[in-house]
């Protein structure tokens, strides 16, 4: 099968869907790769590196004409959807719950779409799980962004000129991104406190050396498939009260809280921001799902009453080399599941296909 890679057109997207090493694996498996010239450059992979592994470098129109399947990263833009030839399979991030219009346009274009972000969180699909691979890197980068914006260093430092106390960090959400943020902040020497409403995260947080803020009644939160499925307003109110002391004392706050692909919960109100320490920093990683902080704006930095609020944006795209390497491996593993050398073939009853095939035969399936 001919697999195409295009230069990503979404603003700020620097990743490429397949790096040369991933192309080599696919070529070994019997596929051919055609890549638009320059598609890997922003991620650190020049055309030559693709040619060396046996991929064909071509103009964009040629890639679109030849590829039966396009490996893509960002949610396709209107312009990109307009280019896809009918019948093409597109493997990409889509965030189906948040982007119904994109899905409708893809259905109208007559392509089949596999949403990499809709991968089931099962052991079998673990090596295809782009949310894990990308959010892990984004969690790391959020700490670096926070460290860069705050006027303090992270570790305790005793010097002849006096002692510098460690940064106090508060993290909302201990999923993949939050756990990596904890580990990164600890390595830098911060004192880290964490809140989550999945009770099992307490142990994971503590094993990384951070303090978990327990909320009475947390053991009653309903979890389905690893995600929060039901939480009462009472528990959310108790959580708000329990974390306030830490929030108002924090130098850096990172928010990562999401609820199964839907709108992110509001966890920091504008009123709470007004009570935060002058000079503190919030990095809101959930802004593409509406944000966890009332005052944050997607991909934008604002300052409110001395508090810098950074709307995280697409943080994985800011570490495009590693992000593309991991994304590419996820795509290779997914293709091993659905692609034969002569084309895509799948069982519609397979749990991975059921979850990821979001557009097929002109229909939106979710
Ligand atoms: P996510 O990105 O959907 O959410 C991030 C975190 O926000 C979660 O820990 C969630 O509990 C938390 N959160 C939600 N509401 C909150 C609130 N009001 N306050 C504070 N925190 C809040 O989560 P994720 O990182 O994608 O992980 C989701 C689940 O999937 C977890 O159970 C994780 O262990 C599991 N997982 C499984 C696999 C696998 O088996 N293949 C891989 C990765 C993750």
């Amino acid at each position: 099968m001919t697999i195409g890679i295009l230069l990503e057109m979404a603003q700020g997207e620097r990743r490429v869907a397949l790096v040369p090493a991933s192309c080599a694996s696919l070529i070994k498996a019997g596929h051919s790769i055609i890549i638009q010239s320059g598609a890997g450059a922003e991620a650190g992979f020049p055309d030559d590196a693709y040619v060396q592994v046996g991929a064909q470098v071509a103009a964009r129109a040629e890639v679109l004409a030849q590829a039966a399947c396009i490996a893509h990263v960002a949610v396709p833009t209107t312009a990109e959807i307009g280019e896809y030839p009918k019948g093409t399979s597109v493997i990409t991030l889509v965030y189906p719950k948040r982007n119904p219009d994109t899905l409708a346009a893809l259905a109208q274009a007559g392509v089949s779409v596999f949403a990499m972000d809709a991968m089931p969180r099962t052991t079998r699909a673990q090596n295809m799980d782009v949310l894990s691979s990308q959010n892990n890197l984004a969690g790391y980068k959020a700490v670096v962004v926070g460290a860069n914006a705050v006027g303090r260093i992270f570790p305790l430092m005793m010097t002849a000129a006096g002692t510098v106390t460690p940064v106090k960090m508060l993290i909302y959400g201990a999923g993949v991104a939050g756990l990596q943020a904890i580990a990164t902040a600890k390595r830098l020497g911060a004192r880290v406190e964490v809140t989550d409403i999945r009770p099992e995260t307490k142990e994971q947080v503590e094993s990384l050396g951070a303090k978990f803020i327990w909320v009475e009644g947390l053991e009653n939160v309903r979890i389905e498939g690893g995600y929060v499925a039901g939480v009462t307003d009472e528990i959310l109110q108790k959580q708000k009260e329990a974390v306030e002391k830490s929030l108002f004392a924090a130098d850096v706050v990172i928010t990562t809280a999401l609820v199964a692909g839907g709108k992110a919960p509001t966890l920091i109100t504008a009123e709470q921001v007004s009570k935060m320490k002058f000079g503190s920093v919030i990095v809101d990683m959930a802004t593409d799902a509406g944000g966890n902080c009332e005052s944050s704006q997607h991909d934008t930095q604002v300052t409110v009453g001395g508090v810098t609020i950074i709307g995280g944006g697409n943080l994985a795209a800011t570490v495009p080399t590693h992000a593309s390497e991991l994304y590419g491996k996820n795509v290779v593993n997914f293709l091993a599941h659905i692609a034969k050398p002569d084309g895509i073939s799948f069982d519609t009853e397979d749990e991975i296909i059921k979850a990821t095939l979001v557009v097929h035969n002109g229909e939106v399936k979710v």
Side-chain angles (χ1 to χ4, degrees):
M1 183 171 74
T2 301
I3 299 159
I5 312 163
L6 296 167
L7 180 70
E8 300 277 328
M9 285 167 77
Q11 207 192 350
E13 186 52 78
R14 294 166 59 200
R15 290 170 290 183
V16 62
L18 292 167
V19 303
S22 328
C23 293
S25 310
L26 291 167
I27 291 167
K28 203 169 156 213
H31 304 295
S32 21
I33 306 284
I34 181 164
I35 177 166
Q36 179 182 353
S37 176
E42 287 246 39
F45 303 99
D47 287 352
D48 279 358
Y50 287 93
V51 172
Q52 268 169 27
V53 298
Q56 183 195 343
V57 175
R60 189 173 183 91
E62 194 57 28
V63 176
L64 286 159
Q66 282 195 36
C69 168
I70 289 171
H72 198 259
V73 184
V75 177
T77 62
T78 308
E80 286 170 326
I81 296 170
E83 288 178 325
Y84 295 147
K86 200 171 170 195
T88 310
S89 293
V90 185
I91 297 173
T92 183
L93 294 172
V94 186
Y95 301 103
K97 281 196 188 166
R98 287 182 218 152
N99 297 304
D101 295 348
T102 303
L103 286 187
L106 286 160
Q108 179 125 42
V111 294
S112 293
V113 181
F114 296 92
M116 287 300 279
D117 51 276
M119 199 63 69
R121 305 315 271 281
T122 58
T123 310
R124 188 164 157 246
Q126 212 159 6
N127 65 5
M128 313 171 197
D129 182 357
V130 296
L131 287 187
S132 288
S133 73
Q134 305 300 296
N135 287 345
N136 191 24
L137 298 177
Y140 161 88
K141 191 62 191 273
V143 175
V144 174
V145 167
N148 198 32
V150 75
R152 296 166 181 271
I153 63 160
F154 272 39
L156 171 77
M157 212 179 267
M158 290 179 196
T159 78
T163 297
V164 173
T165 54
V167 146
K168 288 187 189 139
M169 179 174 277
L170 173 63
I171 298 178
Y172 286 77
V176 175
L179 290 172
Q180 185 55 250
I182 298 168
T184 305
K186 289 296 293 180
R187 281 199 291 270
L188 284 176
R191 265 191 213 143
V192 185
E193 292 187 281
V194 182
T195 175
D196 198 305
I197 51 171
R198 279 187 299 126
E200 69 260 34
T201 55
K202 178 177 187 292
E203 207 184 307
Q204 296 161 6
V205 165
E206 287 173 350
S207 73
L208 289 169
K211 184 183 166 210
F212 187 81
I213 304 170
W214 185 258
V215 178
E216 197 196 316
L218 214 55
E219 61 282 3
N220 300 326
V221 173
R222 201 158 50 82
I223 308 292
E224 269 170 29
Y227 290 98
V228 176
V231 56
T232 60
D233 288 345
E234 192 193 345
I235 289 185
L236 290 175
Q237 182 57 30
K238 277 192 185 151
Q239 179 201 25
K240 189 170 172 233
E241 287 160 15
V243 298
E244 270 197 340
K245 193 165 156 243
S246 308
L247 178 65
F248 299 155
D251 301 303
V252 180
V253 177
I254 294 185
T255 69
T256 75
L258 291 175
V259 186
K263 192 193 166 307
T266 303
L267 299 174
I268 305 176
T269 62
E271 199 219 331
Q272 285 178 312
V273 170
S274 73
K275 293 181 185 159
M276 285 178 63
K277 251 168 71 173
F278 198 93
S280 59
V281 174
I282 299 174
V283 181
D284 186 345
M285 288 184 66
T287 51
D288 54 0
N292 292 139
C293 173
E294 236 170 35
S295 315
S296 61
Q297 291 170 30
H298 185 55
D299 224 357
T300 304
Q301 179 170 323
V302 293
T303 305
V304 183
V307 180
T308 302
I309 305 166
I310 301 169
N314 187 357
L315 285 174
T318 67
V319 283
T321 305
H322 278 146
S324 304
E325 281 174 2
L326 300 184
Y327 188 92
K329 279 215 176 123
N330 294 142
V331 171
V332 168
N333 292 328
F334 182 63
L335 279 167
H337 191 65
I338 62 161
K340 306 283 170 288
D342 56 347
I344 284 186
S345 86
F346 50 79
D347 167 9
T348 46
E349 289 309 305
D350 175 74
E351 53 148 17
I352 292 175
I353 300 302
K354 270 197 200 160
T356 57
L357 184 61
V358 292
V359 174
H360 191 47
N361 289 337
E363 254 182 70
V364 175
K365 316 284 279 180
V366 283

